[in-house]
Amino acid sequence: LTIKAENVRDFVIIMSEKYKVKTKEVDGIKISSYYINNSKAANMLLNEVAKTVKFMNKNVGKYAYDELRITETFLGGGAMEYPQVIQMGNFHEEQNFNIEENAPFLIEAAVHETIHQWFYVGVGNNEFKEPFLDESLTVFTTAYYFENQYGKYHDSGVVRKIRGRMYGPNIKPLNSGVDKFSDWGSYSEVIYSKGPAFFEDLRQRVGEEKFKKILENYYEKYLFKNATIEGLLDVIGEVAGEDIKKTMKKAVTEANYFPENIQLTDEEQQMQYRN
């Protein structure tokens, strides 16, 4: 068997004679969900991934391939992205949730790994030296998707996941490499909590239209190439001006980043609690 893969950063094969499959097409892209037994969960993930692909096509840039596959595996503790493949854990049947209000981990993880198809698969970077560039951006965009798809106060949206989780400023710079952290907790706080806040900070400074333009230009400029934080800052400068670029460069390179301007207002906090 000879397999030729073009424009990919990784190569993976996941196989099982027990797989069943459900498929769906969106924007000319074939999306397949490979599962063992849980047809309901497979269908649920397929639908949400299809919505995510459509959202990313519209707001960032067209998916770079013709197919995307979701696979159920015995992976523990999360999910993993590869070019054209999302590796999930077991498809447990989720109980007592309404996707209009909140997303269980299985769905949120699938959306996150789908967005990695743009940031890591499409636009590459050194994940060890600059994890901010793929992970922080993907965490933000996941929350951005839920906000756009289901409303401002969705449980997995920007208000709850990013703006509502602002911690103290005693952290390393956002541009720190993996080897600069001594434990998972400090890494997670910088890359999965404060890093995503950088992009909300940027969005509030430049407005929705320019923010989308930054994402579009960044994706277009670095598709099938390797980006750097400096390259992202250059795109920010081209779209939003040098003053914004200087402000955001300081945010990503100096320790103790804490964007007070994106903290929830009293009214927003009340609305969040009410929801």
Side-chain angles (χ1 to χ4, degrees):
L1 183 65
T2 302
I3 298 172
K4 183 179 180 181
E6 295 181 343
N7 290 323
V8 295
R9 303 180 188 280
D10 270 342
F11 184 79
V12 64
I13 296 176
I14 300 172
M15 297 189 296
S16 173
E17 61 184 8
K18 297 180 180 180
Y19 272 143
K20 305 176 186 73
V21 62
K22 291 177 176 288
T23 63
K24 192 167 193 171
E25 187 171 299
V26 59
D27 295 340
I29 299 156
K30 182 182 177 182
I31 304 174
S32 303
S33 181
Y34 289 82
Y35 67 102
I36 307 297
N37 293 312
N38 196 327
S39 174
K40 183 178 178 181
N43 200 55
M44 180 178 68
L45 287 178
L46 180 63
N47 288 335
E48 209 61 39
V49 166
K51 289 179 189 177
T52 306
V53 169
K54 197 168 190 67
F55 170 81
M56 294 297 288
N57 283 346
K58 179 181 178 182
N59 292 284
V60 178
K62 186 73 185 290
Y63 179 59
Y65 306 98
D66 297 327
E67 291 193 56
L68 177 60
R69 299 170 181 87
I70 311 155
T71 60
E72 179 181 14
T73 72
F74 290 98
L75 176 70
M80 190 62 199
E81 73 277 5
Y82 305 96
Q84 306 173 74
V85 181
I86 297 167
Q87 183 186 12
M88 303 296 298
N90 289 127
F91 289 179
H92 301 295
E93 190 152 330
E94 303 289 348
Q95 302 292 333
N96 302 321
F97 81 93
N98 175 2
I99 190 61
E100 298 291 333
E101 296 176 355
N102 63 78
F105 174 78
L106 193 66
I107 288 182
E108 192 171 339
V111 171
H112 179 100
E113 305 310 334
T114 300
I115 291 170
H116 267 309
Q117 297 295 317
W118 277 257
F119 305 126
Y120 153 73
V121 173
V123 175
N125 64 284
N126 189 322
E127 299 166 279
F128 186 78
K129 289 185 176 179
E130 296 184 331
F132 163 84
L133 209 51
D134 59 296
E135 283 300 340
S136 298
L137 178 51
T138 295
V139 170
F140 169 81
T141 312
T142 300
Y144 188 46
Y145 161 78
F146 282 108
E147 176 190 283
N148 278 268
Q149 191 71 33
Y150 299 110
K152 180 176 178 179
Y153 293 99
H154 190 272
D155 207 48
S156 298
V158 173
V159 165
R160 181 70 182 270
K161 287 287 185 176
I162 297 173
R163 296 179 61 202
R165 292 185 177 179
M166 295 294 293
Y167 304 111
N170 187 24
I171 63 163
K172 294 180 183 294
L174 302 183
N175 65 345
S176 298
V178 175
D179 57 334
K180 303 301 180 184
F181 300 96
S182 59
D183 55 68
W184 168 257
S186 58
Y187 172 80
S188 179
E189 183 178 1
V190 172
I191 300 303
Y192 288 93
S193 294
K194 283 295 177 60
F198 169 96
F199 295 98
E200 176 61 12
D201 184 3
L202 175 62
R203 179 168 72 141
Q204 291 197 19
R205 289 178 187 276
V206 304
E208 196 75 22
E209 186 177 341
K210 283 187 178 178
F211 180 73
K212 286 184 179 180
K213 191 67 177 174
I214 288 168
L215 293 183
E216 290 171 359
N217 287 11
Y218 175 66
Y219 182 67
E220 181 180 4
K221 184 173 183 178
Y222 290 106
L223 180 60
F224 296 140
K225 298 175 184 176
N226 293 317
T228 60
I229 291 174
E230 197 61 46
L232 172 63
L233 290 169
D234 287 343
V235 173
I236 290 171
E238 290 162 8
V239 175
E242 285 301 309
D243 287 344
I244 292 290
K245 177 183 175 181
K246 287 177 184 176
T247 298
M248 301 318 295
K249 183 170 184 176
K250 182 177 180 182
V252 81
T253 56
E254 295 186 3
N256 304 324
Y257 172 62
F258 191 80
E260 295 182 6
N261 57 303
I262 74 167
Q263 291 185 96
L264 297 179
T265 64
D266 290 343
E267 182 181 354
E268 287 174 323
Q269 286 183 352
Q270 290 173 13
M271 284 298 294
Q272 177 183 310
Y273 294 144
R274 190 172 297 134
N275 274 267

